Amino acid sequence: MERSASCHVDALALAWALVSDLPGCFAGRRPAVPDAASLTFPPPPAEAAVQRSLRLSMQATRKRHAYSLTLTPATPPSSPPASSTPSYSISFHPSSPASIAVSGAFLLVPAARGTCALTMSARLAAGGGAAGPASRTGLGRPAPVPRSESRLRVSARDALLLLDDLLSLVAVLFSACQRCAEIDGLVLGGLATHFRTSATAPTAAEKALIDKHVALGDKNWARLKGTVREPVEYFQALADGKSAWGKASTNVDVAAEHVLAWLWHGNSYERLGAFVKSDGDSMSMTLEVPDSHSRFSVFGNKLPLIDDRVFATWNTWERARNDDFVVAFTLHTDFPDEYYKNKIDNAITNHKSAAKAVKGSLVGFWRISPLASNVCRVTFVGQGSMGGLVPDSAMKFATKKVLSTVDRVRDRYERSGTAVDAELRGEFPPPPLRADLGNTERLVVDKAWALQSEAEDVPWEVIKSDFPLTKMWIKHVPAARGERSIAWGKAGCTVDCSAITVLAWSMAFCSRDRMRINEEEGNPARLVIERNSPHSDSVATIKKVPFPFRPREFVVRQVACALNSGSLLLAVTSIGGTVVDYGMRSSAAAVRGTMRDLLVISPTATENQCDVTQFAYMDAGGRVPAWAMNKTLPISLSSAEEMRCSFERDDEVDRQSTSEIATKFESPDHIVEMGVFHAGGAHGIPRATTIIDEDICTCAAWSYNAMSRYHVKNFYADGGIEASMQKHNDHSFVYQNLQDFKIPTVSPREFVTRSVWRWESETVLLQVVESCTAEQYPIRSGIVRGSASELEKFERLDPVGGIPQTRITWTQQADVGGLIPSSAARGALVDQMMYLSRIRKRFDKSLAIDAASNLRLVTMIQNHDGDYSEREKEILEEGRTMLEVFEQQKSKELKMSSPTTQAKVAFKDGQSHVYGWSSAVVRATPAQVLAYTWDFTKRAGMYESHLEKMADEDHAHNKLTYINKKVSNPFSNRDFYTRSVWTKRGTGFRLVSSPELDDAGAHPITSDVVRAKFPSVIKMTGTGDSSTKLEYVIQPDIGGSLPLWLVRSLIGSSLAYVTEIQQYHQELRELEKWDAKDGEAVGEVLVTKTDAEKHHGKEETGAGARVRALMEKQKGLKELGQKHEWFKALLTKIVENKLRPAGDSETKLCNMSVKQANVIGGALASCIAANLTAPAAVDEWILRYPAMGELDREYVWFRPMMDTIAQRLLESVGWGLKMRLYTGAGLSTLDLLSDLYMVYTYATTGQQGTALSLSIMVGLCLLLQLGVVWGQARKAPGRVILKEMLIVLSGIAPGIHSMRVARGAKQSEYAAMDPELELTFTRGIEMVLESIPGCVLQLHAFLPTLKAAGGYDKRALASIIVSALTTGFSAATISFDFDVNPKRRKDEPAFYGYIPDSASARTMVFGCMVINGALLLLVRSASTALLAMVGAKYVAAYYVGDMAVYFAYKEARGDFTHWIPMEGWIDLLESFFERLIAKVIVNFTGIIQLRAPGEMGASYWLFDMALALAASPVATRIYYASVNADDDAVMDEGDAWMMVGGLSFGWLIFFAIFMLTIRREYWGSFYSTETGYQYVQSKFLREGDENKKAVFKYNKKLWLSIRGDVKAWTLENWERWEEEKPEWFDDAWKAKIDDDMIPVASLQKMSGGSKRRRSSLGDLVVGVGAEAAFGKGAPEAVLAWSEVEDVAASARAPDMSAQSEECDIESEACVDYHEKVAELEKLIKSQTGAFERMKKLAGEVYAVPRAVKMVAATPSSGTKFTPFAATVLETSIKEAKAATAKFGATSPEAAIAWEDVEELSSSSNAAAVQPALGDECLLELQEACEAMEELQAKILREQGMI
């Protein structure tokens, strides 16, 4: 057998990788490919080859086999002997008789671009023939295979599997070494260059083909139905009434030659991968014709329900004169050369699937027209014939499929629509002059120009604009006779780009951005009808209007031109009589409107700015009244604002204008006229001051520039109506504004002021504002004129951290005039003073200032080497004592606002003060954390409550600080006088703060302030990944008479200091450094409420304010917001978490908009509501929206952040966890109450038997649930078991279990199942013992009432239906929750994932599962009830027989043992009951989840469904055969057959819908024959630790036959796991591992080592057994003993894992202590083991006759026998052998003696994992250690070891 592949790596490098790590490659590990430049081959002549020995673990045989490898230079058969690029061969063959006779070779042949062709061949020798069938023992456990001296024999099936295992390595190597994208890029780049630079012309035949097919493009094209809103335009034209021509056209975001290269390179890895995914093993081939423009392409198509098709085409290309590329294609038989036609035909004939396929035909052409340097227009025209008998409807479908290639190429090269639009605008040519226009174009311009030139006597009236920077006017022109009086509109604004750019934007009617907006608005259509030139085209659109009006259609002609003045015009007028093909029926219902529009674009003096004026007239048509259209005029004028927003550069423009003004402030020599400043006023004079992180000129200019865009936007946001400015000179201007205070009955106020400025000194600048009168602003009626005076003082301060500082003092006096309430006036004053807050935040550089200070302190800390005084040492000792005292106290958990912070409170006996402790992990180094806490003047530490804060002393490691803190009334303020000292400790630092003893120092105690004490210690420990674990312990004494309860309530806010430190450093982390932990931290912050929510804006929600504040502070979020402007909107909608219908969005990340971000962010809430767990909700959300999938792939932190957010939202909202708890508990309780009600009903109506049966079922249900609780928590404390049992008895267990799963609760150490599985068991028990029997019993009681005189009980029927639907819902929920769980999908991709990702498909699948479960329950219950009426023995016989067949099947396949890890009789009992319960549930509900290999198994599940449906009609026939006449029957026979048949047919229909809806690649999981142990073992043999580590969650019996491989895997990788610390490598997982699977050194370090499970002498016995079986020196024995030797070697070197207690202060005692510890460790390591004696003892144990009964315990590979233990064991073995010889091998005396041997073996093994002698000495008293050392020395001397 042979496999081949192309590996994208150098041949020699891959050869060395294979030789170095071939076992790892076979195990699925990617080889570490070395640098080819560092390798040389062949080696010196003395070594003609490189040889390696290896052991491989084959999946087919579950065993390890020995092989040898040989690497040699080779000459491939197809290469000449003297090739300049040498090839290499790696041969392998078995090196042991015990190994399977498989041999083969790898051949590596160098290829182009640093790749090589890899061919692997393998063969099985004739001696490895089939053996007898494998036998099984026990409950499904495979029987051990006896060893044999001869070659191992395998069955023919296993031999094929073995060869497949070997050959699958080719796929593994290809996956590991592939560079598909890189190679494709290189090839496509080369082709593009060739097409761009090629000067060769096509041949005559090629040219004729191109011209012929291009002429075929002139047809009457009709748009395909329903495609008008797609990015690709699709058309169709019928030909000959049969086959159809298709046309597709779109813009592609890449240069034309790259599109041609992609089309031409049909065998790229990308396209081959897509082809294999869609068409499987169909034929795909390309054949180039040398020295021509031609190639041949052959490809097949798999089609449902009909024969496959194969197409063979001849393709040729040319570059036209207009630089268009044209590619024409036709049948390959049209090619003039017979050689190539025959070659193609032969290839098709020799291909397996193509030879059977029907030949189709394709003819047509591609046209690729350049539009810009990296944008082109691609048009495809083609006609396809499927061949054979294909209906016309199928042909039309095939046409769309062929055309979809255009969409593929568009999707591949899609870029940001904004960037593409900008490129196309850059290519827009200047328009012609108006005078040069043609007649048609001139008519359009004249009609539009009339909007400006006509009716000049009618004035323009200002109307309110919703856009602050766009002004609007209206003109009511008298209507002509018979016309409606529709007003004209006008809008004006300044756009931040050139005039030609605005014109290009306006002409691009179907640009990407405008099409996106059209899509977001939900408009049905927008398209270009005809393009006459770049400056003239016809366009059409259909606009959606509010109900009950019909959509409006507008068809217009737009023409661009230029005026002699330099302005540009765009004229738009309606055209009539044009019928537009929209490809949709609804277009006929649209009402056509008319419009005229004129755009005047005038350049300004400022570069890249222009003034835009829009004139508009629109008549929507229909019966819309004129006043309504006039009301909506601002909407018609919104185009001006739309283009202004498209080119908005507000911040840049403001900076530029501010900078220009600031330059005028630089000279203080100007004499400027100053106004008079008046003090006094009725409402007081507000005064405010602050410090700004900016230079004085910039601050003054920013304040002076009243008409900056920032000020204008805030003015209108605060209720402004209008504002304008008249500049007087460079030092003054007049400013007018009209403001609405939004107070009922209060009219708007107008202010007209004059502003002037001057330099007071070199460091002080003044700006004065006072009211004035101005001719241009006369007083208007109805508007009250107010007055105001204002003084701003700017003072230059010294820079801080290199950042300039300016103090601003602002004072104002205002009289708003009229009667204004005092409260409103005071509120207005506060709003005015917030002006300084805005300027402070705008220029805030606190993070940069604090970062500079932090960097300085970090340098100081790292270089510090100072001495500590006695007082400093005392303070440090106090800190150490605080840590120890807290650990000794009984503490209580304290809930913090941030879940990432842990906190506790404790009380010391005899003291009234509270101890507090908090801890968190900070993403910064210990030095950075210490620098933050040590920086007393940092901005981040400034709190509003600090009245006074200063440092009296500030030394390198010692600081004396004073804080006066404000306390709420009626309590007095507190002050703190504290000395802080820090010191280095291990990998971190310790900072201790202690109250200063000298109260009479610089801050003596005063009567109005209470002196408080706040001793604290901060322990900072580095974790090695640029993170620090922070522990904070405090013992505050607030002083005074504060009540203790108040002190304890305030301690939480003090402990939140660690949260502050954590969040501060998180804010500083750059986006590129973020990882999963950062995502979790940011997620927690986003869902934690902040003070920012209290001050949100008028148009902003609380969640929006929180997100905005975080994005301003968090450096990483700020970077992300700058990169994606929509990200803030996305986070806001996510955090708002409002339950609403989820919208759809297929937009890519590069084309996301704010509106789409709102849709996507708002959809997360519905996903949370529809899923059981937060990760499942996030997974559905990410899979639903492609843009989120791109974010997930781009950023490793994105999914952890979303998981954290979703989890917190799920816990907080009422419809989240609480709803699940109440719903689960309510349904369970309701079900229980309904059963009790029916018990009462049956008991009172004479049906005591039914009532008793129901009562027994309810009782058994509760009893079995209590049994599950005991089995699940039997190792837990009694109170835990009691609590769980009370939950069951209360009937709320399903709700509690659902809540635990939703919270993401982990599996506890004592639990046998995780919470999700426990929930499944609880639901399953309820179904088996309550829901299913209840439905059967109720039907049994209900059916006889159908013919009763009083009629049947409708309440009973309703109860039956509700029970069936509830049971179906429970069964569907179990399957649904398991399948959509992202962790299970990742761990078990072959089984989970059958439910599609789209919301509609998920709803369909879930609905089908619910209905199927209910239908199956009804049909099975009805047939069981009918059978029971015949006789109970029939029911018993059927179900007992059914169960017997099922259990026999399980036992026969070795699949009886259930996968849950149990032991002993509990394992047997659990397996029996689980199989029984699963069988009953599947029988009556058909639950999809239980088709799993470890449960019922897919094949038997399918068989059981067929049996269930077949048994129902049989039961019905038996019943009616047993009654004498229809009168005796409970219902008419026809009705019964209709009931059973209808329910069965309904189940089949919905199951078919279910199967057609799920992913088809999972169909195999519904009929697979894989057993539980096969599944578990194959999972371990897959690639990656994630698969292999899962073996320990299964029952050991299922992987007993590969235990050796599992053990080798854990021993080989344990040290790596300890270093890398993967998430799953925790204590819970380690607890599942046997001791012999853990290295000795690691086992000793693990907590509770002596309490772990033990094994015996098995490793040594294996070694001796290998010698006995294969002979001493045999390869098998050598391999076995090498493993034992490795274990012994690790046992000889005891680990000195215990670390000495850290020294608080450097001292002689500490140094002496370290020296003694080092000497002790050296002495212990000098001890050597007695491995040869242990080997001899093991041989003696193995030689004992097998008749002796011994305990079959498996030893630990880390077993370490001390010499003393070995001597005692040797004596016991001799005594046991003597007893065997004297009394016989089967005698009781011999058995007792050998039991002693085993007991000593186990006890020695247990002692081996006790702490090493040196470790004991660190813990015991000195006298005891000395005695033990003497004893050890004596033993070693006796053994001759010292």
Side-chain angles (χ1 to χ4, degrees), residues 62-63 75 144 292 508 595 641 770 774 944 954 978 1060 1230 1281 1469 1525 1572 1601 1718 1763:
R62 313 290 200 271
K63 297 186 180 300
T75 301
S292 73
M595 66 176 293
E641 174 66 15
E770 67 173 2
E944 185 180 354
D954 192 353
T978 308
E1060 175 192 320
L1230 182 63
I1281 299 177
L1469 196 63
S1601 61

Side-chain angles (χ1 to χ4, degrees), residues 389-408:
L389 300 176
V390 180
D392 292 342
S393 58
M395 286 300 303
K396 294 179 181 179
F397 173 79
T399 301
K400 178 68 180 295
K401 184 177 180 181
V402 172
L403 297 177
S404 65
T405 307
V406 178
D407 189 59
R408 285 174 55 196

